[in-house]
Amino acid sequence: MKLLRIRIACVALASSLLLLPGAASAQQNGLAMRPPMGWNSWNHFHRKIDDATIRAQAEAMVSSGMRDAGYTYINIDDTWQGTRDAQGIIHPNSRFPDMKALADFVHSKGLKLGIYSSPGTLTCAKFEGSYGHELQDAQTYAAWGIDYLKYDLCGLRDQIKAAPTPEAGNKIMVDAYIKMRDALRSTGRPIVYSLCQYGNDAVWRWGTTVGGNLWRTTGDINDHYSRMAEIGFSQAGLSRFAGPGHWNDPDMLEVGNGGMTADEYRTHMALWAILTAPLLAGNDLTTMTPETIAILTNRDVIAVDQDAAGKQGDRVSAEGPIEIWAKPLEDGSKAVGVFNRAPSPLTTQVDFSKLGFGHAVKAKDLWQAKDLGTIREPYTVTVPGHGVFFLRVSK
Ligand code: GLA
């Protein structure tokens, strides 16, 4: 009887641990212990992708220095799919003549290859989805040498809408993600599992239980400051749900695509680093300006994102358009972003004691790559319109 009670207590403890936000769970695959870094085809190329494009991006990831800065995944998004054969096996379309050879090429560069599908019959771009073929598709990806799957809800949305209740609809969604998790796991190949369902049903609360290594928290980003800022600054409060192996994903980067100013792209990159977000570049890596490369490969900024503690930062304060965000780092220091959401420069003051420090701190300006030595509060700073003053601060 006593033994039974102990066993019940252990089971209850184990299941409550599974439900703790941000806690590692038995559902996890041990991958993505830091937020994934890489490149994805969608933001720049949309449907215009083929084997040559992907190879060129892989080569440019190496020659630009991005691989050495930590970028690893080359992810093919929607529109690679062709048709299924009589056995139901998916084949790429004619623009991808040999997916295994492409994976071998990407691997030969010291990089990893990602692919895209949907739990519906069709993807967002109306290409073949995985519905009813989950196990077969996972096996095909593993045989090709795929290392990462972005699984985009799109095609399943009609079924979800047609469900008798919202709860029944959510169950269809959750079951579909579990099905692919199990399919991927059964292949024995380590494949990062990226959930893309735009944050529906507060996915950060259950993403780990369906095996997600990352989950999109919002709808799609685009290459305009307004949309990037709307997404990035809306992440306040989500930090406790992320951690090693399971990350909030505010969508891929737009840095270098041309729709924002350099200050706006520095804001984008700094905010994503504080958010401990996946850093998936979304530009054409073969035509980058030195400024774009400098933003994407800034070692101090990447170190904030990839910090070993794996803690997501959060908003500390907002004063009209000035927002201060901070991220705790493993060595006891903090990354601090003073963001100006207004279009013109603004002068403000930073009080370090409100950030958990004393009245004087040691600081480094990460975008200027400048050691500021010891600075004292109230520290007055002028932040460019839509820009950021980005610091690493320690005692
Ligand atoms: C959705 C996703 C995007 C992209 C497209 C492809 O919109 O959110 O990131 O994958 O589908 O069709």
Side-chain angles (χ1 to χ4, degrees):
M1 189 62 187
K2 197 172 170 196
L3 211 68
L4 185 69
R5 245 184 258 139
I6 293 173
R7 198 172 291 160
I8 291 172
C10 287
V11 170
L13 179 69
S15 43
S16 69
L17 278 177
L18 283 183
L19 295 174
L20 270 183
S25 80
Q27 310 301 336
Q28 290 191 261
N29 55 12
L31 302 174
M33 297 313 280
R34 302 205 179 168
M37 290 177 68
W39 172 88
N40 173 291
S41 57
W42 188 254
N43 283 357
H44 183 86
F45 290 95
H46 301 279
R47 295 162 180 253
K48 290 201 189 106
I49 49 167
D50 58 15
D51 180 275
T53 314
I54 303 302
R55 285 175 191 246
Q57 298 302 312
E59 280 174 335
M61 185 174 276
V62 178
S63 62
S64 63
M66 284 177 68
R67 182 190 63 185
D68 292 345
Y71 293 84
T72 304
Y73 291 96
I74 293 284
N75 291 348
I76 306 171
D77 208 277
D78 208 349
T79 75
W80 62 267
Q81 308 87 334
T83 48
R84 294 188 184 278
D85 62 21
Q87 282 73 48
I89 293 173
I90 185 83
H91 293 273
N93 58 46
S94 58
R95 291 178 287 128
F96 290 90
D98 188 340
M99 204 55 103
K100 168 93 174 64
L102 179 56
D104 289 347
F105 176 82
V106 168
H107 292 152
S108 77
K109 301 281 163 199
L111 301 170
K112 294 186 167 158
L113 187 64
I115 210 158
Y116 167 101
S117 191
S118 170
T121 49
L122 294 177
T123 66
C124 290
K126 305 272 184 277
F127 281 61
E128 185 74 19
S130 292
Y131 186 77
H133 295 275
E134 293 82 1
L135 189 56
Q136 252 180 342
D137 285 359
Q139 285 165 350
T140 302
Y141 303 153
W144 286 339
I146 295 294
D147 307 294
Y148 184 117
L149 173 67
K150 171 173 168 183
Y151 207 44
D152 188 346
L153 188 68
C154 246
L156 203 66
R157 285 191 292 197
D158 289 344
Q159 271 192 47
I160 292 170
K161 262 188 231 143
T165 61
E167 291 73 25
N170 286 338
K171 186 166 181 331
I172 293 174
M173 173 171 63
V174 166
D175 287 349
Y177 278 103
I178 289 175
K179 195 173 241 180
M180 185 51 95
R181 172 199 72 196
D182 292 345
L184 292 173
R185 196 157 293 184
S186 73
T187 69
R189 186 173 173 85
I191 299 177
V192 170
Y193 191 28
S194 156
L195 316 186
C196 176
Q197 45 77 284
Y198 339 111
N200 288 348
D201 194 29
V203 61
W204 44 87
R205 292 188 167 268
W206 53 267
T208 46
T209 63
V210 301
N213 292 117
L214 57 156
W215 46 78
R216 280 269 299 277
T217 53
T218 71
D220 288 10
I221 196 167
N222 62 41
D223 191 21
H224 296 284
Y225 175 81
S226 55
R227 180 61 179 154
M228 180 279 292
E230 180 187 11
I231 287 180
F233 293 112
S234 74
Q235 303 300 292
L238 296 188
S239 57
R240 69 198 173 98
F241 300 101
H246 54 107
W247 309 102
N248 290 310
D249 173 11
D251 209 355
M252 304 164 299
L253 298 171
E254 292 283 3
V255 175
N257 276 332
M260 296 185 227
T261 66
D263 275 325
E264 291 169 343
Y265 283 139
R266 280 189 280 269
T267 289
H268 185 8
M269 188 78 184
L271 188 50
W272 263 236
I274 289 179
L275 293 172
T276 317
L279 297 178
L280 295 168
N283 56 320
D284 180 354
L285 306 184
T286 67
T287 58
M288 289 189 283
T289 62
E291 189 165 60
T292 295
I293 296 179
I295 294 172
L296 286 173
T297 62
N298 183 303
R299 294 295 201 277
D300 289 329
V301 174
I302 290 174
V304 169
D305 182 79
Q306 298 285 300
D307 183 73
K311 290 191 175 145
Q312 181 172 330
D314 221 317
R315 183 161 60 197
V316 176
S317 65
E319 181 190 324
I322 296 281
E323 293 195 17
I324 298 189
W325 289 64
K327 165 174 172 164
L329 301 170
E330 199 198 20
D331 65 359
S333 63
K334 278 185 182 168
V336 176
V338 183
F339 295 93
N340 173 11
R341 297 184 65 176
S344 328
L346 275 176
T347 298
T348 189
Q349 288 181 335
V350 190
D351 293 321
F352 298 106
S353 47
K354 289 193 185 139
L355 294 165
F357 294 96
H359 300 291
V361 294
K362 285 193 211 125
K364 180 172 184 185
D365 180 330
L366 301 187
W367 284 126
Q368 299 295 325
K370 195 170 153 201
D371 204 335
L372 302 179
T374 298
I375 56 177
R376 280 162 220 293
E377 67 175 21
Y379 187 77
T380 301
V381 62
T382 300
V383 187
H386 291 172
V388 60
F389 179 53
F390 195 24
L391 295 176
R392 187 171 180 133
V393 173
S394 56
K395 278 190 184 136

